[in-house]
């Protein structure tokens, strides 16, 4: 087996591992009453860290009002928290709890 083939095989195995892990995590979160949209929100916060509603909307490719509503449901579920941005009180920062 060539080096390139080994690399491709390793990438394929890693992708499979990630798919299995994410599907199991999604199933657990769905059992907790979270929607797939809320799960995507949590994954974005886990990957990028704290974000504004506008940044969340951009990452999810949805409007800011939809991102705000989704964030509020996730906050109510205890999975995230929303705090005022100290640099701009008009904005909120969302982070995982």
């Amino acid at each position: 087996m060539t080096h390139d083939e080994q690399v491709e095989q390793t990438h394929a195995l890693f992708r499979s591992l990630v798919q299995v892990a994410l599907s199991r995590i999604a199933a657990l979160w769905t059992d907790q009453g979270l929607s797939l949209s809320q799960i995507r929100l949590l994954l974005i916060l886990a990957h990028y860290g704290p974000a504004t509603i506008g940044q969340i909307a951009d990452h999810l490719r949805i409007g800011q009002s939809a991102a705000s509503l989704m964030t509020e449901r996730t906050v109510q579920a205890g999975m995230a928290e929303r705090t005022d941005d100290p640099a701009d009180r008009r904005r909120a920062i969302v982070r995982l709890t």
Side-chain angles (χ1 to χ4, degrees):
M1 181 179 292
T2 68
H3 175 72
D4 288 344
E5 290 170 335
Q6 289 176 338
V7 168
E8 182 56 38
Q9 185 178 22
T10 301
H11 284 171
L13 288 171
F14 183 73
R15 283 191 299 271
S16 296
L17 174 67
V18 168
Q19 293 256 335
V20 168
L22 288 177
S23 67
R24 288 188 181 185
I25 289 169
L28 289 172
W29 283 344
T30 301
D31 289 345
Q32 296 295 317
L34 295 173
S35 69
L36 289 177
S37 296
Q38 289 172 293
I39 293 168
R40 288 181 61 214
L41 168 62
L42 293 172
L43 291 172
I44 284 171
L45 292 175
H47 182 75
Y48 294 104
T52 65
I53 299 296
Q55 290 167 331
I56 291 168
D58 289 345
H59 286 299
L60 292 173
R61 293 187 169 94
I62 61 175
Q64 286 192 12
S65 60
S68 182
L69 289 171
M70 182 188 319
T71 298
E72 186 54 35
R73 287 193 308 266
T74 308
V75 167
Q76 289 176 357
M79 300 289 195
E81 66 180 3
R82 183 191 295 214
T83 58
D84 290 335
D85 182 347
D88 184 349
R89 292 178 45 104
R90 296 171 293 173
R91 295 187 332 174
I93 303 291
V94 182
R95 62 181 41 89
L96 294 175
T97 54

